[in-house]
Every structure is written in structure tokens, then in C-alpha cells.
Amino acid sequence: GNNMLCEGFVASHLIRFAAVVRNLQPERAYVCSVYARSEAGPSCESPNSPERATLAAAPRIEDLQVDEAEHDLIQVSWKWPQFKAPVSSKTSNDLEVEASVRELEVKGFEVRCAATTTWTRPSWRNPEFVACSKIKRDSCGRATVVVKDLDPDRGYYIEVRACSDAGVGVWCRVHDSAVSTSIDSQAPPAPELVSNSSTTLTFSFAALNDSRI
């Protein structure tokens, strides 16, 4: 649906043309056709090209997992996305699409969580954006984020998506089932020595009045 004039360049004995079609939707398949135009008017339209899809605005989160779960927080981590330019720097410069390529670089991540309920749809908290410069990396280079202010002994769905200047990626969930926080129980009294021998120590300690344990 875009009408444009294309500039040609010589490759071997053929004249090749290149055209950049802008303002398309991410992750959408398109076909392209062309026609020539002269002072006498336009030619017949060419056959359609094979379907070609635009890239996602931001990459999918890969290898998302739970590292730790306490009574009021859950720590998750994922593989840091590696940005790979879709075209060479020379090609992007020749086609004047450097800005569009830079827009695909990941700028940060959004994290959201929802407590499990009997309702069909989870009630998500407002997503929290964390810039790449603020993301902690573990010893393997994985991104790590701590989801805080959770209730003890409760299940939560946690999702993460990447963000770029071109837009946001899809939400990716940690596991299909909810992740549970731990029980917030009182620490038991210190154990007391009952007896000892040359090879053993026997201790006793009081039980806690907590049916969850």
C-alpha cells in the first residue's frame, strides 16, 4: 500500500533497486510488489514476493527460572539477550535505517506478579521497569531480579518481558504453575544438650505451636 520511488545501483551487469517500506507492525508477515512508472504512466504490477515477516520489537525472554523463594520475596533469573543487528552496519547506512536498527537494542525489562486466586484471570500488579544498567548479573552473566513485598505461604505467577525503543516483547512466565513463597514461622528455641559421649551429642528442643510445620 506504500507508493515510493526507488533509487538504483549497479551490481555486475544488472541494475538493482532497494526500497525501505516503513511504518509496519512488528512480527507481521507482508508481501511486496512493484511496478515501473514513466511519463506514459505505470506498468503492470509485478507478482507478489514471498511472505516476509518483520522482527519482534524486543526479544523473548529465554531460560526464565526461580533462584530463591523466601517468605516475602522471590528471586528470578534469565539468560541475558544478545543483540544481533539484522543487517550489517554498511547496509543499514546505505539504506538509512541505522535509527531503526538501534531501536531494537534492549533498554530494560518489565517484571510483574500476581497472587493465585480462584478467579480465571490473575490480578496483576503494575509492572516494574528495570533499566539494563540497574539489572544485577550473576556469575554466569544471567539477569537477576527480586520480586518483593509478597505474602508468606502464597502462590504467585511471575512474568518478564524485554523492552526496547521499538516497543515491548511478549510476557514470558516463570513455570506454568505458580511459585510459592516460604512459611514465615517463628524461630524455635535454642537446643539444649542432654548427653554426650566420645562420638555423639544428644540435644533436645521444644516444638513450635504451628500447624503449618
Side-chain angles (χ1 to χ4, degrees):
N2 295 56
N3 295 325
M4 63 185 70
L5 293 176
C6 309
E7 295 183 359
F9 59 92
V10 177
S12 182
H13 62 286
L14 298 176
I15 298 178
R16 304 286 297 179
F17 293 86
V20 178
V21 185
R22 303 180 185 274
N23 301 319
L24 305 181
Q25 295 299 312
E27 289 189 286
R28 188 86 177 265
Y30 292 89
V31 295
C32 179
S33 64
V34 296
Y35 58 86
R37 182 186 291 274
S38 69
E39 293 181 357
S43 70
C44 295
E45 190 171 351
S46 73
N48 286 340
S49 68
E51 282 193 359
R52 293 292 184 265
T54 51
L55 299 176
R60 291 182 64 88
I61 300 298
E62 296 183 359
D63 196 19
L64 182 58
Q65 65 184 36
V66 175
D67 293 335
E68 183 180 0
E70 298 186 9
H71 70 278
D72 61 348
L73 62 84
I74 296 173
Q75 177 177 302
V76 298
S77 67
W78 60 91
K79 183 179 178 182
W80 192 272
Q82 299 296 321
F83 176 73
K84 183 178 180 181
V87 294
S88 68
S89 57
K90 182 181 184 307
T91 300
S92 64
N93 182 66
D94 290 343
L95 297 178
E96 299 181 350
V97 293
E98 304 99 320
S100 297
V101 173
R102 286 196 301 269
E103 283 182 346
L104 296 174
E105 296 182 18
V106 174
K107 302 299 183 182
F109 304 89
E110 285 188 335
V111 183
R112 68 178 183 179
C113 70
T116 54
T117 65
T118 56
W119 295 95
T120 304
R121 288 189 173 184
S123 179
W124 296 101
R125 295 185 183 181
N126 290 331
E128 178 182 357
F129 174 79
V130 187
C132 286
S133 59
K134 301 295 184 181
I135 292 281
K136 293 183 178 179
R137 309 277 289 270
D138 64 15
S139 58
C140 298
R142 293 170 58 83
T144 63
V145 164
V146 177
V147 183
K148 301 179 180 179
D149 301 324
L150 306 180
D151 296 327
D153 193 24
R154 190 163 187 184
Y156 287 89
Y157 298 110
I158 298 177
E159 294 185 342
V160 182
R161 67 181 177 183
C163 305
S164 73
D165 288 340
V168 295
V170 297
W171 286 110
C172 298
R173 183 173 297 186
V174 181
H175 306 316
D176 293 330
S177 57
V179 181
S180 295
T181 51
S182 61
I183 298 172
D184 183 19
S185 60
Q186 179 184 357
E192 297 179 357
L193 181 66
V194 175
S195 63
N196 59 353
S197 69
S198 61
T199 59
T200 63
L201 294 173
T202 303
F203 293 91
S204 70
F205 51 90
L208 291 176
N209 186 21
D210 191 332
S211 60
R212 300 172 300 172
I213 299 176

